[in-house]
Amino acid sequence: RRLLDFLSYSFGGGTDVTGALQVAMDALENDMSSSDLLLVTDGELPNPPVSNLILAKLEGLKQQTGMEIHGLLVGRKESESLNLLCTEVHNFLGNYEGINGATYSYGGTMQRSSSALSLLPSARRFSSPLPACFRGRPLTRRFGFSLHAMIQPGETDRLNTMHMTLNRRGDGASAKRRRGFDEDDDNWEFQGGEDLDYYDKGNVEPSNKESNQQKQIEKTEFVKRVEDAVELLQDDASKSIEQNKLATEGLELVWSKSKVISDTISYVEEGLVERDLEARLVVLGMVSKEHVLFIGPPGTSKSMIGLRLSQLCGGPFFQRLFTRFTTPEEIFGPLSLRALENDEYVRCIDGFLPTATVGFLDEIFKANSAILNTLLTILNERKFDNGGTRVSCPLKCVIGASNELPESEELDALLDRFLLRSYVTSVSDDGLVEILSAKSPTLTADVDPGISSKLDEVVTDISTALDGISMGQNTCFLIRDLRTFMREELGVYVSDRRLVKASRLLRVSAASHGRKSVDFVDCLLLQHVLWQIPEQRDAIREWLWDNLTPGKADDLVEQTKFLLQGLASESLDMVKKTMGDITGEAGARKSDLEAIYSIRKEMEEIEKLMQHQSDELERHTKLLHSLPDHLWIGHDEAHAAKQHLLPLAKEASAAVNQALADTISLKIAISSDFIDNDLRSSVIEMLTNQDNDDISFTEEELQMSLKEAKRQYKGDHLRKWKNARKEL
């Protein structure tokens, strides 16, 4: 009733709504930013009703605050001018012709009044007496009100007053859906059922006409300016990403001396079928000064590979087949009888393992305890205790072979000394055909005389370069997580010593390719390092394939998106408070400017993080392209890994670059002055809502009050909530 009484007053505003709208916009920009606007008019407005500037400002407020403009059209079914201004137009008494067609008798002739009609409160009395027919009668009835058609001041001589009592009772569908206004809250809800004591029972209904102007207003000049600004921001972000893109040219080029290693691998593999991986592992073991273990049935070229490696190294080659009855003298040399005469326990070691460059120990897990302790010292420290003297062993690599894995726990320490492991199987059917059709292989192949000397130089250069090879934090985390997987999923204990040796092996891999840091592709070698039984190798490889994409294990992109959404929401709130001012020139408070600066600094940190992640993925992708040329990964394994890992890397790179672009765009939006202040909040909102066009609400969310919804939603999100609520 208070609302209807208020609306029944005349303010003498005429048909020019510009002034009233300007006052309303000032209020909406300050203390009433969460309010909507109601425009009540008889529709007698110019077309266009206001200037383009006012239209743009209104559209800006809609974008910034989620404001809606509702028009109440009195006594008319439609108004083209009002459609241009309002989000939705409702008509009242649209079927009543008495207002627009109000006439009065003057001089015996019915004439249409040219005056504007003003609503006055029904309880007011005019200075002139009422006509007798109204004296003593109430001027309002239930569900009705009194409408007084007033004559312009110049017409008072011809007619003092004219009274019309309009009482309209509608029974249409709109009578069942009306808005109830609570006197103590701005909460609203649709109500049905019987009318309350002062509601009109009809004629308050939305206009059914789908105006072309309403469709066109969605693309107003303001919206186009916002879209242009967003496009400019995104272009700047793309340019920034491109300018800061990691230079990967030449990354696929290997070290200048890598050809010596490649030739060495080719020599070891020459004439052997399906022994590409084993040839690479023994050369890697020799270069890294680690030992290699081959598990598999007899007759699979294990000893031939060891012999060829010794020919390359140019030193003595020691080979023995262990049995349960093998004595230390067969491995380390016989005791010196002359030394025994002098009470010295000294062995004659020439030609035995302590003086060999390369050793091949077949069925090594049959070694007994008399041999084991001395053998462990030679394998681990390259030292041999001969009498009272500890002598250095020139041993570069020992190749151990066995048809079966150790069964006794006392042999676990011996197993742990062999860092590189491979399960050697018989050749495939196709490989067998190749063997049978080839010439008889020889135990030795022609050796390039320069390879041995060059190989020693390469090993020295790699050993010297290891101190300059870095192990990134992400690689360390990967190895840590792999050990956890081994312990919890496979039940395998991996010793600290083994992991330290594995990290050195990865550095050797990086150095042999001329790189200054260990990359994730080098970690593929861990599948040949950590297993205890051959079946575990496949599980380790699958885990590596699932976790070798940088950032995937940490869900970095999802975490970044979550942080960015929070910062975007905070920046939007701050920008709305300052009305887009980020410098203070337009009067923004210092505390708000400091908050915006703090948000910008956080975005810069996120940008650095995502830029680093983008660089890592760019480098990772480039290395995956050249993976078939990796020195230490077999051809078949390299092609399979590339086929699996490259799509994952490209997908992750696209997601990271998108998150980086969003971060840069938002950072520029709250730091650049080329964006007009009246656009800034709408630009931020459009940037954050581009991927959220389809928004759905739960039944519980749709039951919220308008006040609760305004606290939870902003801008376009709030408008979509209102529209969804209306559809209930």
Side-chain angles (χ1 to χ4, degrees):
R1 183 182 303 277
R2 290 195 302 126
L3 177 62
L4 291 176
D5 288 344
F6 172 76
L7 294 177
S8 66
Y9 281 93
S10 171
F11 297 96
T15 58
D16 184 7
V17 296
T18 300
L21 287 176
Q22 187 64 57
V23 173
M25 285 190 295
D26 291 342
L28 290 169
E29 290 174 350
N30 294 296
D31 299 333
M32 302 179 67
S33 59
S34 60
S35 303
D36 290 330
L37 187 60
L38 176 64
L39 180 61
V40 183
T41 177
D42 59 0
E44 293 289 342
L45 302 174
N47 193 2
V50 293
S51 66
N52 291 334
L53 179 61
I54 297 297
L55 281 176
K57 288 184 177 180
L58 287 172
E59 191 64 28
L61 284 171
K62 292 178 183 179
Q63 295 289 334
Q64 293 176 23
T65 65
M67 175 199 72
E68 292 184 353
I69 303 178
H70 287 261
L72 182 60
L73 184 61
V74 180
R76 190 185 296 268
K77 291 185 178 180
E78 62 177 308
S79 170
E80 184 176 345
S81 301
L82 196 59
N83 288 337
L84 289 175
L85 280 175
C86 300
T87 308
E88 187 173 357
V89 176
H90 310 265
N91 61 50
F92 184 68
L93 302 178
N95 296 324
Y96 183 76
E97 300 296 336
I99 296 179
N100 291 321
T103 58
Y104 59 92
S105 176
Y106 176 67
T109 304
M110 296 296 292
Q111 298 181 3
R112 180 177 298 275
S113 171
S114 61
S115 62
L117 296 176
S118 302
L119 292 174
L120 299 179
S122 57
R124 282 187 62 181
R125 293 293 185 268
F126 293 95
S127 56
S128 57
L130 286 172
C133 61
F134 290 107
R135 290 176 186 171
R137 298 183 183 180
L139 295 181
T140 61
R141 303 183 192 175
R142 194 171 182 229
F143 311 130
F145 63 89
S146 181
L147 177 66
H148 302 271
M150 300 300 300
I151 308 301
Q152 296 287 358
E155 297 176 326
T156 53
D157 293 338
R158 292 177 290 180
L159 186 65
N160 289 328
T161 58
M162 174 179 178
H163 303 279
M164 294 183 183
T165 301
L166 305 179
N167 187 14
R168 185 76 176 171
R169 293 176 181 262
D171 54 2
S174 61
K176 297 181 180 180
R177 298 179 64 188
R178 290 184 303 277
R179 301 192 179 194
F181 297 89
D182 192 338
E183 295 183 0
D184 299 324
D185 196 354
D186 64 351
N187 182 28
W188 60 272
E189 59 182 0
F190 287 103
Q191 297 181 356
E194 292 297 321
D195 298 273
L196 300 180
D197 60 344
Y198 59 85
Y199 285 109
D200 180 55
K201 204 170 182 179
N203 296 309
V204 180
E205 57 186 6
S207 175
N208 293 326
K209 183 178 180 181
E210 295 183 358
S211 172
N212 290 332
Q213 288 85 350
Q214 285 179 313
K215 295 180 180 179
Q216 294 174 355
I217 200 171
E218 297 175 0
K219 287 275 187 180
T220 62
E221 179 183 355
F222 180 86
V223 175
K224 291 178 181 178
R225 289 172 61 204
V226 172
E227 291 176 345
D228 291 343
V230 169
E231 184 178 356
L232 185 60
L233 284 178
Q234 293 174 336
D235 289 342
D236 287 350
S238 299
K239 291 177 182 177
S240 176
I241 294 174
E242 192 64 30
Q243 290 173 357
N244 296 323
K245 189 176 181 180
L246 179 69
T248 58
E249 292 77 8
L251 186 61
E252 72 280 2
L253 299 178
V254 296
W255 185 35
S256 59
K257 297 182 180 180
S258 296
K259 188 177 185 305
V260 177
I261 300 176
S262 180
D263 291 343
T264 303
I265 295 171
S266 298
Y267 170 77
V268 174
E269 187 187 7
E270 185 178 351
L272 303 179
V273 177
E274 298 179 0
R275 293 296 174 257
D276 172 56
L277 175 61
E278 287 74 19
R280 294 173 188 271
L281 291 181
V282 296
V283 176
L284 176 59
M286 186 271 297
V287 171
S288 61
K289 299 179 181 179
E290 295 294 345
H291 309 301
V292 183
L293 176 65
F294 290 149
I295 304 292
T300 51
S301 305
K302 297 190 289 291
S303 60
M304 186 181 294
I305 291 174
L307 178 59
R308 289 189 176 178
L309 181 64
S310 69
Q311 292 171 343
L312 283 171
C313 295
F317 176 64
F318 178 80
Q319 180 176 357
R320 284 292 184 274
L321 174 63
F322 282 75
T323 67
R324 296 178 182 177
F325 309 104
T326 301
T327 63
E329 286 73 21
E330 296 178 66
I331 307 300
F332 309 118
L335 290 173
S336 172
L337 297 178
R338 184 174 298 177
L340 284 175
E341 292 177 355
N342 298 322
D343 296 329
E344 294 179 359
Y345 194 84
V346 178
R347 292 184 183 276
C348 298
I349 61 175
D350 290 341
F352 292 88
L353 184 61
T355 59
T357 303
V358 175
F360 181 80
L361 307 180
D362 202 0
E363 294 299 329
I364 189 172
F365 295 121
K366 293 182 179 179
N368 53 55
S369 58
I371 297 173
L372 197 57
N373 289 336
T374 304
L375 182 59
L376 290 176
T377 304
I378 292 177
L379 293 177
N380 192 48
E381 303 177 29
R382 268 54 170 204
K383 299 291 183 179
F384 176 69
D385 294 321
N386 196 8
T389 306
R390 171 166 283 201
V391 297
S392 297
C393 300
L395 197 62
K396 293 183 178 179
C397 180
V398 169
I399 301 173
S402 178
N403 297 336
E404 56 190 11
L405 290 167
E407 297 178 356
S408 174
E409 292 184 359
E410 66 180 7
L411 294 174
D412 287 346
L414 179 60
L415 175 63
D416 195 56
R417 295 303 190 273
F418 291 90
L419 184 65
L420 292 164
R421 301 166 180 175
S422 176
Y423 183 72
V424 185
T425 60
S426 301
V427 297
S428 63
D429 293 343
D430 292 337
L432 179 61
V433 172
E434 184 179 349
I435 291 176
L436 296 176
S437 62
K439 295 180 181 180
S440 298
T442 59
L443 291 177
T444 60
D446 294 332
V447 183
D448 184 352
I451 288 184
S452 296
S453 60
K454 292 179 181 178
L455 192 57
D456 290 337
E457 183 181 348
V458 167
V459 173
T460 302
D461 291 344
I462 289 178
S463 299
T464 304
L466 290 184
D467 291 338
I469 305 299
S470 63
M471 177 84 74
Q473 189 178 49
N474 289 337
T475 307
C476 295
F477 289 159
L478 179 75
I479 297 175
R480 177 202 63 187
D481 295 342
L482 178 55
R483 184 175 73 164
T484 302
F485 168 76
M486 297 287 295
R487 181 179 64 247
E488 296 181 355
E489 300 296 330
L490 302 181
V492 175
Y493 167 74
V494 183
S495 66
D496 295 343
R497 176 180 57 214
R498 190 166 198 80
L499 291 176
V500 171
K501 285 181 173 290
S503 68
R504 184 180 182 278
L505 185 75
L506 298 182
R507 287 186 171 92
V508 170
S509 175
S512 61
H513 290 84
R515 292 186 260 112
K516 297 296 184 182
S517 63
V518 175
D519 289 281
F520 274 16
V521 292
D522 298 314
C523 295
L524 288 169
L525 292 172
L526 295 175
Q527 63 182 301
H528 306 299
V529 173
L530 301 181
W531 60 264
Q532 286 187 345
I533 58 176
E535 292 78 8
Q536 294 169 350
R537 180 203 163 190
D538 291 339
I540 297 172
R541 180 183 60 187
E542 291 179 4
W543 187 93
L544 287 170
W545 282 8
D546 290 340
N547 293 274
L548 277 186
T549 304
K552 182 179 179 180
D554 299 327
D555 294 329
L556 186 60
V557 173
E558 294 302 320
Q559 294 179 23
T560 301
K561 286 182 178 180
F562 179 77
L563 290 174
L564 202 58
Q565 288 174 357
L567 291 176
S569 178
E570 291 180 26
S571 62
L572 184 60
D573 291 340
M574 289 296 102
V575 167
K576 285 181 178 180
K577 285 185 178 181
T578 64
M579 296 305 294
D581 182 18
I582 59 172
T583 61
E585 296 179 358
R589 293 184 299 180
K590 182 179 179 180
S591 59
D592 293 338
L593 296 177
E594 290 175 349
I596 293 175
Y597 176 79
S598 176
I599 294 172
R600 184 162 62 242
K601 296 302 290 184
E602 290 188 54
M603 288 185 178
E604 289 175 356
E605 292 300 319
I606 294 178
E607 179 186 356
K608 291 178 182 178
L609 176 65
M610 299 309 295
Q611 184 65 60
H612 175 73
Q613 187 67 18
S614 177
D615 292 345
E616 280 200 353
L617 283 165
E618 186 71 23
R619 180 184 179 91
H620 180 67
T621 302
K622 193 72 172 181
L623 291 173
L624 286 177
H625 279 292
S626 60
L627 191 58
D629 298 325
H630 199 284
L631 289 172
W632 312 121
I633 301 175
H635 287 302
D636 293 341
E637 171 67 23
H639 285 288
K642 177 182 176 180
Q643 185 177 6
H644 180 85
L645 293 173
L646 193 56
L648 295 178
K650 290 181 177 180
E651 181 183 355
S653 182
V656 168
N657 286 335
Q658 182 59 55
L660 177 59
D662 293 342
T663 304
I664 296 175
S665 299
L666 284 171
K667 185 193 74 172
I668 299 175
I670 62 173
S671 59
S672 178
D673 56 0
F674 74 81
I675 301 177
D676 295 337
N677 289 347
D678 62 327
L679 302 180
R680 199 175 304 278
S681 61
S682 299
V683 167
I684 295 173
E685 191 171 24
M686 184 172 289
L687 283 172
T688 55
N689 290 336
Q690 280 182 335
D691 298 329
N692 298 316
D693 292 336
D694 298 329
I695 300 176
S696 59
F697 301 94
T698 64
E699 183 177 350
E700 183 179 351
E701 289 173 332
L702 291 175
Q703 297 301 322
M704 291 190 300
S705 67
L706 180 61
K707 181 177 288 186
E708 292 173 330
K710 286 182 176 180
R711 283 197 299 264
Q712 184 168 341
Y713 308 127
K714 302 293 181 184
D716 188 62
H717 207 158
L718 178 61
R719 283 194 297 275
K720 293 186 181 207
W721 178 87
K722 290 181 177 180
N723 292 334
R725 177 68 182 269
K726 291 175 186 176
E727 293 174 1
L728 289 179

